Amino acid sequence: MTDGTRSTPATLHDVAREAGVSLATASRTLNGSTRKVNEQYRTRVLEAAARLDYSPNLSAQAVARGASTTVALLVADIADPYFSSIAAGVVAEADLERLIVTMAATQRDPERELELVRALRGQRPRVMILASSRRTDEPTDGPLAEELAAYERAGGRVVLISRNEYDLRTVLLDNRAGAAALATALVELGYRRFAVVTAGEGLRTARDRLAGFREGLAAAGIELRDDDVVRGEFTRDGGYEATTALLERGLDGVEAVFAVNDVMAVGALSAIRDAGLEPGVDLAVAGFDDIATVRDVTPPLTTVRVPLEQIGRRALRLALDDADASGREPSAAAPDAVPTEVVVRASTPGPRRR
Amino acid sequence: MTDGTRSTPATLHDVAREAGVSLATASRTLNGSTRKVNEQYRTRVLEAAARLDYSPNLSAQAVARGASTTVALLVADIADPYFSSIAAGVVAEADLERLIVTMAATQRDPERELELVRALRGQRPRVMILASSRRTDEPTDGPLAEELAAYERAGGRVVLISRNEYDLRTVLLDNRAGAAALATALVELGYRRFAVVTAGEGLRTARDRLAGFREGLAAAGIELRDDDVVRGEFTRDGGYEATTALLERGLDGVEAVFAVNDVMAVGALSAIRDAGLEPGVDLAVAGFDDIATVRDVTPPLTTVRVPLEQIGRRALRLALDDADASGREPSAAAPDAVPTEVVVRASTPGPRRR
DNA sequence: CTGTTAGCGCGTTCAG
DNA sequence: CTGAACGCGCTAACAG
């Protein structure tokens, strides 16, 4: 365990002494903004710092400066590719700004989310990004809003991903329009009877995608029957189970199923296969998100592409740019939605000829 | 944007004043270790804190206490399911200890990794977990070791995942044994001619798995020809391309291919299919890791199960428990490897009868 | 340009 | 058990 006497890390004070200069000079050359330090001293400080292996204490800097270099990210589930892709984007962009990202997972529990926001606030992060999927029936809705408002009042920047709520900055994801476009595309392929695999009523994202899909069908004069909407957890297993239930009930003419996200859609594929049917042929499948794995399942999945990583980058940008240009009208005024795109693959080859 | 006058967050000072007590008393009831505060005062402070929506400044606490409540996690790529699963475990376990996790991505660049370790050290994290895949040819090897040693000397705890190096705490993953066991299982299934899809020579994990596989075959009297080892990036696309190259070169009797991780294996499946062959039938495929998606590809993938999330949890535990029981012999003394298990699925049905 | 000094928000002695 | 005072590591005026 790398033994050796336990020494405390070198402080700025140590560096100053070692270099024979004042604390202020050391601070200026090491962390000060505009360089105004004699080259002579400058190099001496730098050398001393290197010799002592000095690393500035970020906490102390934060206290002194009254501002941290941290951004907090809240997701529902880190292992879910939807969130991990967004996280990758946030981290990549934060890196450019030399910001540190702290991450927490709500597990889709509103109470936990509130707790986490409270805890994370203690960090005084510059930005707080909420990508955790919100619910419509949130009992903690009021407290959360209040918490976020307080955080903003204290100079923090909140960015919501996907849902436009609370009058806060938002990276808008037009779930309705995307789902509607998908519906249109499927109808164009020749499908007429649909089922939807979705999550519990509470989840906004799921609800919006279902609504959009329904609208898209309606525009083509097709009605989605309530009986043909099955529900499960917002996970792979949830998709598997809901689809299994659908198959057991009997397809009754349903030609294609839309799973409100790719993770569920992938579960649907397996459920279909495990039921002895051939996905795509016996029942077409479409998803939403275009996560990486959908290219590699069989058949490759038709879906709505969402630039996940870009969304993460954009979320951070939104908060940062807005902070720079404070005084301007808030950029949330015109939150153009992130563009989505229907990607047709082999899981929806068109209805089989009878 | 939630307007209203910008106010600074309430400080402990504010709470004390509001409650009509001293700073010390407020500190004691709010964050103090053992409670020794008059119930009278206690409630007054608590109420004042609630009224002011007080949230302790973690940076200030860290400075005052000389210890943070942070754990730093370094991974190669956040969007990669291997790492995001580990991250999920770390975050889950950290949550139990009310620790905050900060995350950074090295993108498999040793220079970046070193930079990041340096930067992260500024946070004075209690624990630093390196899950980023290490290379064998690291030019930054010395500096990194030195950096980590300095961090440990300052009281930090380093945990390495998968590779036993530098004489540091390690969550050992026996890649060799796992790959050897897989080789044995495949031989038992009847396969005799193998190819391996692996990454560049540099990556430890890839190298160890290849070596283990080779050993496993050797134990059965089968030799893996160098010609039958193809290389690509350590990603899905890398697996796809390497496999494509293998197919173009001509299988020449090869019956099964072992991709050194599941992500590559999934790419291999698609490559085989895109070449007009049937994975499993024309060429068997096996991977390593047992990431979530391999159950849903076709055919489901034979692989070596690695308890990714548990590894994350265990990494943090290792550092924390070790810190508590300092004085005992370091637990790295007996770093039992995480158990792996061969999972045979349909991608290796056994060689076809000729 | 440099050094001195006063904070930043908080934990923790140390006397009362 | 309470409060006053000092210190943590660092930045930012402020004088020189």
Side-chain angles (χ1 to χ4, degrees), chain B residues 100-185:
Chain B
I100 285 173
V101 178
T102 77
M103 199 151 159
T106 66
Q107 312 295 4
R108 295 198 172 77
D109 176 353
E111 310 257 349
R112 264 199 75 39
E113 180 175 41
L114 181 55
E115 277 176 34
L116 285 173
V117 169
R118 290 216 160 101
L120 257 15
R121 199 147 81 83
Q123 283 206 62
R124 305 287 184 273
R126 274 244 260 281
V127 180
M128 204 181 278
I129 300 177
L130 304 201
S132 45
S133 41
R134 309 295 330 287
R135 312 181 63 86
T136 53
D137 53 355
E138 214 109 317
T140 58
D141 227 41
L144 215 217
E146 181 42 50
E147 195 68 24
L148 295 177
Y151 169 69
E152 284 250 336
R153 251 178 275 123
R157 306 277 159 186
V158 177
V159 180
L160 264 27
I161 285 181
S162 163
R163 263 305 293 185
N164 201 349
E165 289 177 281
Y166 299 147
D167 183 33
L168 291 165
R169 263 167 298 270
T170 302
V171 176
L172 212 59
L173 212 179
D174 200 337
N175 288 306
R176 286 181 94 107
L182 176 63
T184 303

Side-chain angles (χ1 to χ4, degrees), chain A residues 46-80:
Chain A
L46 257 20
E47 286 171 7
R51 214 172 315 135
L52 267 41
D53 195 17
Y54 170 72
S55 165
N57 185 322
L58 294 184
S59 292
Q61 284 192 160
V63 179
R65 288 188 173 136
S68 76
T69 56
T70 285
V71 1
L73 172 61
L74 234 61
V75 300
D77 174 8
I78 297 176
D80 184 318

Side-chain angles (χ1 to χ4, degrees), chain A:
Chain A
M1 224 96 310
T2 314
D3 264 314
T5 22
R6 182 138 307 149
S7 61
T8 31
T11 98
L12 189 57
H13 196 100
D14 300 333
V15 176
R17 194 155 36 79
E18 172 88 3
V21 301
S22 78
L23 232 173
T25 303
S27 173
R28 282 192 272 256
T29 97
L30 255 17
N31 316 311
S33 41
T34 39
R35 54 189 167 88
K36 315 174 173 183
V37 179
N38 183 317
E39 195 55 30
Q40 183 107 346
Y41 284 157
R42 189 179 163 66
T43 54
R44 270 169 55 189
V45 171
L46 257 20
E47 286 171 7
R51 214 172 315 135
L52 267 41
D53 195 17
Y54 170 72
S55 165
N57 185 322
L58 294 184
S59 292
Q61 284 192 160
V63 179
R65 288 188 173 136
S68 76
T69 56
T70 285
V71 1
L73 172 61
L74 234 61
V75 300
D77 174 8
I78 297 176
D80 184 318
Y82 175 84
F83 294 106
S84 66
S85 297
I86 290 178
V90 171
V91 170
E93 193 67 32
D95 216 82
L96 263 40
E97 304 282 338
R98 308 212 144 277
L99 257 23
I100 285 175
V101 178
T102 78
M103 198 149 159
T106 66
Q107 312 295 2
R108 295 197 171 78
D109 175 352
E111 310 257 349
R112 260 196 83 37
E113 180 175 43
L114 181 56
E115 276 176 34
L116 286 172
V117 169
R118 290 218 161 99
L120 258 15
R121 200 149 81 83
Q123 283 204 67
R124 306 285 184 272
R126 274 243 261 280
V127 180
M128 204 181 283
I129 300 178
L130 304 202
S132 46
S133 42
R134 307 297 329 289
R135 312 179 64 86
T136 53
D137 53 355
E138 213 112 319
T140 60
D141 227 43
L144 215 214
E146 180 41 50
E147 196 68 24
L148 295 177
Y151 170 68
E152 283 251 333
R153 250 178 277 126
R157 306 279 159 184
V158 176
V159 181
L160 264 26
I161 286 182
S162 164
R163 261 307 292 184
N164 199 349
E165 290 177 281
Y166 300 147
D167 183 35
L168 292 165
R169 264 166 296 270
T170 302
V171 175
L172 212 57
L173 211 179
D174 201 338
N175 288 307
R176 287 180 94 105
L182 176 62
T184 302
L186 294 178
V187 170
E188 269 173 21
L189 283 169
Y191 295 105
R192 293 293 175 269
R193 264 301 294 290
F194 298 88
V196 173
V197 167
T198 184
E201 313 243 5
L203 284 166
R204 298 241 196 224
T205 304
R207 200 198 48 177
D208 291 349
R209 290 178 181 179
L210 171 55
F213 193 73
R214 189 168 252 138
E215 286 166 15
L217 293 185
I222 297 176
E223 190 196 359
L224 179 65
R225 300 181 354 193
D226 284 343
D227 292 357
D228 291 337
V229 175
V230 291
R231 298 176 187 275
E233 294 276 295
F234 209 33
T235 61
R236 182 268 182 198
D237 288 348
Y240 184 95
E241 285 157 19
T243 304
T244 299
L246 177 68
L247 295 173
E248 282 174 354
R249 171 208 84 173
L251 242 25
D252 185 31
V254 167
E255 304 163 314
V257 56
F258 165 50
V260 295
N261 75 2
D262 282 349
V263 172
M264 292 187 92
V266 165
L269 289 180
S270 286
I272 294 168
R273 190 167 281 117
D274 287 355
L277 300 178
E278 191 176 345
V281 177
D282 296 314
L283 180 60
V285 181
F288 202 117
D289 288 340
D290 200 29
I291 60 175
T293 65
V294 301
R295 291 179 306 167
D296 294 310
V297 293
T298 312
L301 198 65
T302 290
T303 190
V304 179
R305 176 172 301 154
V306 177
L308 265 5
E309 190 180 325
Q310 271 199 44
I311 286 180
R313 304 188 93 107
R314 189 154 158 178
L316 188 53
R317 274 281 112 252
L318 195 56
L320 262 26
D321 295 349
D322 187 70
D324 294 346
S326 60
R328 259 192 355 193
E329 57 275 38
S331 42
D336 355 272
V338 166
T340 62
E341 177 194 2
V342 174
V343 182
V344 177
R345 298 204 180 90
S347 69
T348 57
R352 55 178 157 181
R353 307 142 203 155
R354 337 189 161 185

